[in-house]
Amino acid sequence: MANYDIKPIAFYYVFELSFLGISFFFIRHAMKSNHRIPYYRIGLALQALYLSLVMILKENIIYFAPFVGIINGMGEGFFYFPNNIMYPNIVRDDERKKFEGYLNLVSNIFSIIVPFLVGYFLMYFDYVQIAKVVFCLIIITFFL
């Protein structure tokens, strides 16, 4: 437990954001080629590992904040960089504004609704049980 100590949280964010940038740096050349899907899947695997760490460590996660930040930062980097580059290959230029507009709309709606849903489910389930469901969704996304 952190006991109102913000240092572990600060370390987490420093490592997360640092390794987000580092992962962008390492995969920048691979993104120029057509080998984006493996890196996207690595990002999904790292996000699944991050979620597993949250489920396993529970309240002891505060002692492993830098390591968890590294895993999350690399997972986000390996996921979002290929994800953002794949859109131009899927959507034509004349439909891109409309596609990105709808994508942002849906994303923002989910960012409002999901915390309420998770809060509601936390009244009936443990956060580890909810994380297991999210973990299964990540695994499904990995194979699709």
Side-chain angles (χ1 to χ4, degrees), residues 41-98:
R41 287 188 174 156
I42 290 170
L44 283 171
L46 287 170
Q47 287 182 339
L49 177 62
Y50 167 73
L51 193 57
S52 298
L53 287 172
V54 170
M55 289 188 297
I56 292 168
L57 295 174
K58 298 178 185 172
E59 53 275 334
N60 292 328
I61 198 166
I62 201 78
Y63 302 114
F64 299 96
F67 176 70
V68 174
I70 290 169
I71 297 297
N72 192 25
M74 290 183 66
E76 287 182 357
F78 277 82
F79 176 79
Y80 286 111
F81 197 162
N83 188 34
N84 289 336
I85 291 178
M86 284 189 288
Y87 286 141
N89 295 337
I90 298 169
V91 181
R92 293 191 325 254
D93 287 339
D94 58 331
E95 295 179 354
R96 189 162 181 193
K97 281 185 183 179
K98 187 176 181 181

Side-chain angles (χ1 to χ4, degrees), residues 11-139:
F11 282 131
Y12 168 81
Y13 281 113
V14 165
F15 279 94
E16 178 192 13
L17 296 174
S18 297
F19 277 84
L20 173 68
I22 289 169
S23 64
F24 279 6
F25 181 77
F26 281 127
I27 65 172
R28 73 187 190 281
H29 292 297
M31 292 301 104
K32 294 177 183 176
S33 67
N34 287 329
H35 303 292
R36 296 178 185 126
I37 298 296
Y39 292 98
Y40 181 77
R41 287 188 174 156
I42 290 170
L44 283 171
L46 287 170
Q47 287 182 339
L49 177 62
Y50 167 73
L51 193 57
S52 298
L53 287 172
V54 170
M55 289 188 297
I56 292 168
L57 295 174
K58 298 178 185 172
E59 53 275 334
N60 292 328
I61 198 166
I62 201 78
Y63 302 114
F64 299 96
F67 176 70
V68 174
I70 290 169
I71 297 297
N72 192 25
M74 290 183 66
E76 287 182 357
F78 277 82
F79 176 79
Y80 286 111
F81 197 162
N83 188 34
N84 289 336
I85 291 178
M86 284 189 288
Y87 286 141
N89 295 337
I90 298 169
V91 181
R92 293 191 325 254
D93 287 339
D94 58 331
E95 295 179 354
R96 189 162 181 193
K97 281 185 183 179
K98 187 176 181 181
F99 173 78
E100 288 185 3
Y102 283 129
L103 185 66
N104 285 334
L105 175 69
V106 170
S107 176
N108 289 334
I109 289 172
F110 272 107
S111 69
I112 294 169
I113 293 173
V114 167
F116 287 111
L117 286 175
V118 171
Y120 175 76
F121 286 127
L122 280 173
M123 291 190 305
Y124 301 104
F125 302 103
D126 187 1
Y127 76 95
V128 174
Q129 293 171 326
I130 295 170
K132 288 177 184 176
V133 172
V134 174
F135 183 80
C136 290
L137 292 173
I138 290 173
I139 298 300

